[in-house]
Amino acid sequence: MTKPKNVAVNQAIELKPLEIKEETLDTAPKTENTELVIYIGDSLKNGKLEQFTVFNNGIPKFLAEDIEKCPAINSLILPISQLGESRQKLAIQGTMEHTLNSQITQYVRSEK
């Protein structure tokens, strides 16, 4: 498991979207170096992806279509170590997290 980094309050943290892995959560091998990631955006329709869902072996394949249609979904799947700061920014208009979440909200509303 990776050690958490100490970050100054005014220091910027670069958010890096995660790549979709070929494995699904059911078939992905478990390793000690896998960091948990969490989705912080709005929930998708039909319970396909709920806000604050945690993944422990990458992003499952069943989300690939939604991520292709709305790349902001992938951008709001972050290492769990960034949850606190990113969750705060989600509520602040003008931040990257808020803007990405607005794109997800529009995508969810447009889906039938």
Side-chain angles (χ1 to χ4, degrees):
M1 184 172 235
T2 58
K3 218 171 157 184
K5 296 177 184 176
N6 291 332
V7 179
V9 176
N10 61 351
Q11 182 179 353
I13 295 178
E14 182 181 347
L15 300 176
K16 297 178 184 176
L18 300 172
E19 294 182 23
I20 298 174
K21 295 191 177 186
E22 291 300 316
E23 307 98 0
T24 64
L25 288 179
D26 296 333
T27 61
K30 296 188 185 290
T31 63
E32 292 180 23
N33 295 332
T34 304
E35 183 175 7
L36 295 175
V37 294
I38 188 165
Y39 171 69
I40 65 168
D42 283 347
S43 299
L44 302 185
K45 287 187 178 178
N46 300 324
K48 196 170 190 180
L49 180 61
E50 296 290 325
Q51 187 176 40
F52 304 122
T53 298
V54 175
F55 301 108
N56 64 354
N57 285 309
I59 304 166
K61 277 184 169 181
F62 69 85
L63 293 175
E65 183 181 339
D66 290 300
I67 290 172
E68 185 178 314
K69 291 179 181 177
C70 182
I73 294 169
N74 191 48
S75 297
L76 289 182
I77 298 176
L78 310 168
I80 207 159
S81 59
Q82 296 180 10
L83 175 61
E85 182 177 355
S86 297
R87 188 172 178 200
Q88 289 176 342
K89 289 182 177 181
L90 201 61
I92 302 171
Q93 192 170 5
T95 62
M96 179 180 68
E97 292 83 354
H98 185 271
T99 302
L100 291 167
N101 197 48
S102 295
Q103 292 172 11
I104 294 167
T105 301
Q106 289 174 353
Y107 169 70
V108 169
R109 288 179 182 164
S110 71
E111 287 292 296
K112 292 182 180 183

